[in-house]
Amino acid sequence: MDLTKIRLFDADHFYDSDLPDWYLKAEQISDAKGIEFHLALDQALACEHWPLTEDAVLDGAIEIRYWPSEQCGTLVLIETPHAIVEQIVILNAAYWLPFLSKYLAPLITTAHHSGLLAVHGKIANAFIAWARHGEGHHVDRETGLSTIDLDHDRDRSRIKRARAEMAKAAHDDTP
């Protein structure tokens, strides 16, 4: 993505344009005050942003936010936790709903499904660990994975080594 350009959407067509003054002002505010770029955009556009997706907690997940500004139209920022994916300005308010339904709705649906899959994976892992081993502190709260098998394997290895050493010592003591 070229962060020196911004994409404009008008009449069902996309155009690339140089960064507008309000965008450069937001970058300056972010740098000068040391605040998040989203909050700097709030100040530069004199409006608040609205999230269309939950915060991206997974590496591949996306966040979509928009700013309905009288100054520039509607700014849409699509990003991951690591980088901006796309920044689009819908110039005419009449094109906001068609843009939302045609381009953003599939992304929003995918982002929500990814989040649900991650949560279901954690629940499934926790249930499997509980079903195999019962309640206990061996289940990792974040992943739902159990380390009890690893703990048992370590114990078995120690016992096996101890028995081998005892057998060797008993063998060495015999005349």
Side-chain angles (χ1 to χ4, degrees), residues 33-91:
K33 294 185 178 180
I35 61 174
E36 211 176 65
F37 185 62
H38 307 114
L39 300 175
L41 279 169
D42 288 354
Q43 291 179 20
L45 293 173
C47 67
E48 291 184 15
H49 68 275
W50 296 90
L52 290 173
T53 58
E54 297 293 322
D55 290 338
V57 290
L58 304 172
D59 284 339
I62 60 169
E63 290 181 21
I64 302 174
R65 303 170 198 245
Y66 76 99
W67 287 258
S69 170
E70 293 178 14
Q71 184 176 345
C72 72
T74 302
L75 169 65
V76 176
L77 194 62
I78 304 169
E79 59 190 332
T80 68
H82 306 291
I84 293 175
V85 176
E86 193 65 76
Q87 44 196 8
I88 305 159
V89 175
I90 295 89
L91 297 172

Side-chain angles (χ1 to χ4, degrees), residues 4-54:
T4 62
K5 301 279 185 186
I6 197 162
R7 188 151 296 178
L8 305 176
F9 180 81
D10 193 32
D12 208 27
H13 296 297
F14 289 96
Y15 308 94
D16 286 341
S17 176
D18 291 331
L19 294 175
D21 293 338
W22 53 263
Y23 190 94
L24 300 173
K25 181 180 176 186
E27 286 181 334
Q28 290 172 347
I29 292 171
S30 178
D31 291 341
K33 294 185 178 180
I35 61 174
E36 211 176 65
F37 185 62
H38 307 114
L39 300 175
L41 279 169
D42 288 354
Q43 291 179 20
L45 293 173
C47 67
E48 291 184 15
H49 68 275
W50 296 90
L52 290 173
T53 58
E54 297 293 322

Side-chain angles (χ1 to χ4, degrees), residues 115-127:
L116 286 174
L117 285 172
V119 169
H120 287 155
K122 286 182 181 180
I123 291 170
N125 285 336
F127 177 74

Side-chain angles (χ1 to χ4, degrees), residues 87-130:
Q87 44 196 8
I88 305 159
V89 175
I90 295 89
L91 297 172
N92 187 338
Y95 296 116
W96 167 242
L97 285 177
F99 178 82
L100 177 65
S101 62
K102 185 174 182 179
Y103 297 103
L104 294 182
L107 290 175
I108 294 167
T109 302
T110 302
H112 285 294
H113 285 209
S114 296
L116 286 174
L117 285 172
V119 169
H120 287 155
K122 286 182 181 180
I123 291 170
N125 285 336
F127 177 74
I128 290 167
W130 175 81

